[in-house]
């Protein structure tokens, strides 16, 4: 089966989709035109020389790399220990945008001084701009800054938009800059003052299309719709435009609390009326009994609750059974709640593959498995490892399981944002936390092939995308 996985964000919620053909494959195929893509894979940094490196470090920063194009400045950091970049530490990135120690906030190290126009305190989620006339607090959204991953890691990527206007001009236009990483309120040096010469590179976004490559592809969507929003008459038209553009076949939905799966399916019938021989099938909850649902062009032949966070379905695609899970683990600081949800989910899959548990979910060898949902994956990365690699965080679940049929891990779609070097699915300028990838589609890559993946953020699309014949024709700038 060929599967296309796009992901979307709407009103601080998220949306993910997939396409499958009759051939049971699903494999990521993506050619990146730009230098760096924030996708939690760091291969694109291997050819970039470090600005700073201390290989034997037992704590703190080990490696720092930077690169740029005409639109963005990119930062790579490797630490000796695993940290959460947006919480719980005191690392600060100082950027002297004009390489002039006489402007900005002075910071000295080893006899060298820079004048920082920006000071980015990652753990405090603060950005301070030192302007010629004032000192101004900015957010990551103000500065077009995104970092990845949202979970704990030793490696991080950061991108910041060079075109943001400060004092009536783009803030980063010079040929040379100085940077440093410091720590703590006293800005103890981690790197010293580092000089960087800007590269003459032009940002070239990937080619993007919202349409299916082939009419026989099956597009699977996961969408956290945010508190019953499809039933809000003011927001409903946005959903209609999005689903019409996507033309999905299977939709995993989260955060529909006060309406049933049948009522949700009726909305899809309004947005995408069925032709002869078509229908919108549904499975999930009655109104008020839960928030995860499945809407499908293919019959939903079985559904069951794994726990209060996750619902599992068997879909019959023209005689081919497919297991689909729609999940919504708890958010924020509730690591233990997420651990429980992912342990339960992976144990259910393991038992289903062994012919255990509910009979309707006993899986034959090679049955495709797709997990979709707003996973709220922040803080400790052990929950992400459970989802992708089957590593239980509680020994009572027994030995770790092998998610895919060939003994490998599940594949992660890592849906990119069109026309941007990022992969966020959650975007909320009202929050102190920056945009991040909280929503996932993972799948059994031994039997499924991904053809395309994107996380649609319509405010970031160029205006011409919405024009007749444009890649987002029929959508509007503020639809997500």
């Amino acid at each position: 089966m060929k599967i296309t996985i796009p992901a979307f964000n709407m009103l601080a919620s998220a949306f993910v989709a997939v396409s499958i053909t009759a051939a049971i494959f699903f494999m990521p195929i993506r050619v990146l035109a730009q230098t760096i893509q924030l996708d939690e894979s760091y291969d694109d940094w291997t050819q970039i020389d470090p600005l700073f490196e201390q290989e034997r470090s037992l704590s703190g920063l080990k490696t720092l790399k930077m690169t740029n194009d005409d639109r963005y400045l990119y930062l790579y950091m490797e630490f000796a220990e695993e940290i959460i970049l947006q919480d719980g530490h005191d690392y600060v990135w100082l950027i002297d945008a004009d390489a002039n120690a006489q402007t900005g906030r002075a910071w000295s190290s080893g006899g060298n001084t820079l004048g920082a126009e920006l000071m980015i305190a990652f753990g405090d989620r603060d950005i301070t701009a030192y302007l010629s006339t004032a000192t101004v607090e900015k957010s990551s959204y103000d500065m077009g800054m995104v970092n990845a991953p949202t979970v704990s890691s030793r490696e991080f990527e950061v991108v910041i938009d060079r075109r943001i206007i400060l004092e009536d001009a783009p803030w980063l236009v010079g040929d040379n800059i100085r940077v440093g990483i410091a720590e703590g309120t006293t800005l103890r040096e981690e790197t010293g003052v580092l000089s960087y010469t800007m590269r003459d590179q032009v940002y070239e976004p990937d080619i993007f299309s919202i349409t299916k490559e082939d009419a026989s592809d099956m597009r699977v969507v996961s969408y956290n719709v945010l508190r019953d929003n499809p039933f809000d008459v003011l927001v409903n038209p946005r959903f209609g435009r999005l689903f019409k553009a996507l033309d999905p076949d299977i939709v995993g939905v989260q955060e529909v609390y006060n309406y049933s799966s049948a009522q949700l399916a009726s909305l899809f019938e309004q947005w995408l009326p069925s032709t002869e021989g078509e229908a919108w099938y549904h499975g999930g909850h009655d109104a008020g009994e839960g928030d995860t649902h499945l809407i499908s062009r293919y019959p939903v032949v079985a559904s069951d609750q794994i726990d209060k966070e996750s619902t599992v379905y068997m879909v019959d695609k023209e005689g081919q059974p497919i297991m689909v899970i729609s999940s919504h683990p708890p958010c924020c600081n509730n690591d233990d709640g997420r651990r429980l949800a992912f342990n339960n989910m992976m144990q259910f899959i393991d038992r289903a593959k062994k012919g255990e548990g509910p009979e309707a979910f006993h899986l034959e060898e090679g049955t495709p498995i797709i997990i979709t949902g707003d996973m709220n994956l922040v803080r400790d990365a052990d929950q992400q490892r459970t989802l992708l690699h089957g590593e239980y965080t509680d020994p009572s679940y027994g030995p770790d399981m092998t998610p895919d049929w060939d003994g490998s891990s599940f594949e992660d779609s890592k849906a990119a944002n069109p026309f941007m070097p990022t992969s966020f699915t959650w975007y909320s300028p009202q929050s102190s936390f920056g945009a991040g990838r909280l929503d996932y589609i993972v799948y059994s890559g031994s039997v499924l092939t991904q053809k395309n993946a994107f996380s649609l953020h319509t405010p970031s699309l160029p205006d011409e995308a919405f024009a007749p014949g444009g890649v987002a024709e029929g959508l509007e700038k503020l639809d997500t």
Side-chain angles (χ1 to χ4, degrees):
M1 281 179 194
K2 302 174 182 176
I3 301 185
T4 307
I5 303 186
F8 298 76
N9 177 51
M10 184 171 190
L11 301 175
S13 59
F15 181 79
V16 182
V18 177
S19 301
I20 305 178
T21 67
I24 314 186
F25 297 99
F26 176 118
M27 189 167 107
I29 302 174
R30 185 169 64 199
V31 179
L32 299 180
Q34 67 269 7
T35 304
I36 300 296
Q37 183 75 24
L38 270 67
D39 58 3
E40 303 174 38
S41 176
Y42 309 103
D43 294 345
D44 42 9
W45 287 96
T46 57
Q47 301 303 314
I48 297 174
D49 294 331
L51 279 181
F52 170 83
E53 192 170 31
Q54 49 179 4
E55 295 183 358
R56 297 184 180 181
S57 175
L58 298 178
S59 63
L61 185 70
K62 291 186 65 175
T63 306
L64 181 146
K65 298 181 179 183
M66 281 178 35
T67 190
N68 71 278
D69 51 46
D70 61 330
R71 289 175 57 177
Y72 300 105
L73 179 67
Y74 306 88
L75 172 70
Y76 167 87
M77 295 180 290
E78 179 189 11
F79 294 89
E81 65 281 340
E82 194 170 282
I83 67 169
I84 301 166
L85 190 60
Q86 293 192 65
D87 194 27
H89 64 83
D90 297 319
Y91 293 110
V92 173
W93 184 21
L94 299 147
I95 306 175
D96 182 349
D98 57 7
N100 183 352
Q102 303 306 309
T103 61
R105 173 173 175 164
W107 181 71
S108 298
S109 173
N112 297 309
T113 300
L114 59 74
E117 275 70 43
L118 281 189
M119 185 173 75
I120 300 169
F122 292 113
D124 292 332
R125 304 182 294 283
D126 287 336
I127 300 178
T128 305
Y130 296 94
L131 309 179
S132 61
T133 58
T135 298
V136 181
E137 297 300 317
K138 296 288 185 179
S139 72
S140 60
Y141 300 95
D142 294 332
M143 297 305 300
M145 190 182 82
V146 178
N147 60 72
T150 58
V151 295
S152 60
S153 178
R154 293 177 58 247
E155 295 180 279
F156 295 92
E157 301 173 286
V158 182
V159 62
I160 188 166
D161 196 330
R162 297 178 59 187
R163 301 165 298 169
I164 298 298
I165 301 298
L166 295 178
E167 295 190 299
D168 301 321
W171 75 280
L172 186 56
V173 294
D175 294 331
N176 297 285
I177 65 174
R178 294 174 182 168
V179 299
I181 299 292
E183 186 179 9
T185 56
T186 59
L187 298 183
R188 300 183 304 275
E189 68 174 70
E190 281 282 322
T191 64
V193 175
L194 307 172
S195 296
Y196 175 76
T197 300
M198 303 295 278
R199 301 184 180 200
D200 186 19
Q201 296 184 147
V202 176
Y203 177 76
E204 297 181 14
D206 294 345
I207 296 172
F208 167 67
S209 175
I210 202 170
T211 58
K212 299 176 186 176
E213 293 184 20
D214 190 293
S216 63
D217 290 352
M218 181 181 77
R219 177 162 284 177
V220 180
V221 172
S222 176
Y223 205 164
N224 179 328
V225 298
L226 187 62
R227 290 286 172 183
D228 298 326
N229 264 335
F231 296 90
D232 184 331
V233 295
L234 298 179
V235 182
N236 177 288
R238 298 185 183 184
F239 288 90
R241 288 191 293 269
L242 283 167
F243 284 117
K244 185 176 180 179
L246 286 166
D247 189 22
D249 299 294
I250 293 178
V251 186
V253 178
Q254 304 86 44
E255 288 208 27
V256 170
Y257 294 97
N258 297 310
Y259 299 86
S260 68
S261 298
Q263 289 172 297
L264 189 58
S266 70
L267 287 184
F268 277 82
E269 189 61 46
Q270 296 173 24
W271 297 327
L272 291 168
S274 300
T275 60
E276 185 176 355
E278 287 186 327
W280 284 111
Y281 301 91
H282 59 87
H285 299 280
D286 291 330
E289 293 185 357
D291 75 304
T292 54
H293 307 261
L294 193 77
I295 308 298
S296 172
R297 279 295 189 194
Y298 310 108
V300 180
V301 297
S303 66
D304 198 8
Q305 285 296 111
I306 297 175
D307 54 24
K308 66 185 180 68
E309 322 292 359
S310 304
T311 311
V312 60
Y313 311 89
M314 292 303 299
V315 173
D316 182 356
K317 183 189 183 296
E318 300 163 356
Q320 170 64 58
I322 303 171
M323 175 181 279
V324 183
I325 293 174
S326 178
S327 183
H328 188 204
C331 77
C332 312
N333 294 334
N334 194 350
D335 283 304
D336 288 340
R338 285 190 296 277
R339 290 185 182 108
L340 179 63
F342 290 118
N343 285 338
N344 288 343
M345 182 193 305
M346 301 310 286
Q347 183 185 62
F348 186 95
I349 293 171
D350 190 37
R351 296 183 68 200
K353 290 168 65 180
K354 294 174 180 177
E356 301 172 358
E359 186 175 356
F361 297 92
H362 291 181
L363 302 181
E364 295 184 4
E365 179 86 17
T367 300
I369 303 169
I370 303 170
I371 304 173
T372 70
D374 176 1
M375 302 306 182
N376 281 312
L377 278 169
V378 297
R379 302 192 62 79
D380 290 346
D382 57 357
Q383 302 132 55
Q384 187 187 61
R385 291 192 289 269
T386 302
L387 173 64
L388 297 177
H389 310 303
E391 299 177 8
Y392 293 126
T393 55
D394 182 341
S396 69
Y397 284 80
D400 294 344
M401 57 90 73
T402 53
D404 207 343
W405 294 102
D406 61 357
S408 65
S409 299
F410 280 143
E411 295 288 339
D412 184 351
S413 64
K414 296 183 178 180
N417 304 121
F419 300 98
M420 298 179 70
T422 51
S423 304
F424 61 78
T425 67
W426 181 84
Y427 187 94
S428 182
Q430 297 78 24
S431 174
S432 67
F433 288 93
R437 188 171 79 102
L438 307 187
D439 304 83
Y440 285 63
I441 285 183
V442 305
Y443 57 90
S444 49
S446 66
V447 294
L448 299 174
T449 302
Q450 175 177 305
K451 294 177 66 177
N452 184 26
F454 57 89
S455 174
L456 186 62
H457 185 240
T458 52
S460 299
L461 299 182
D463 290 342
E464 57 268 25
F466 303 97
V471 295
E473 180 181 3
L475 297 176
E476 297 182 5
K477 192 79 169 178
L478 299 181
D479 274 347
T480 69

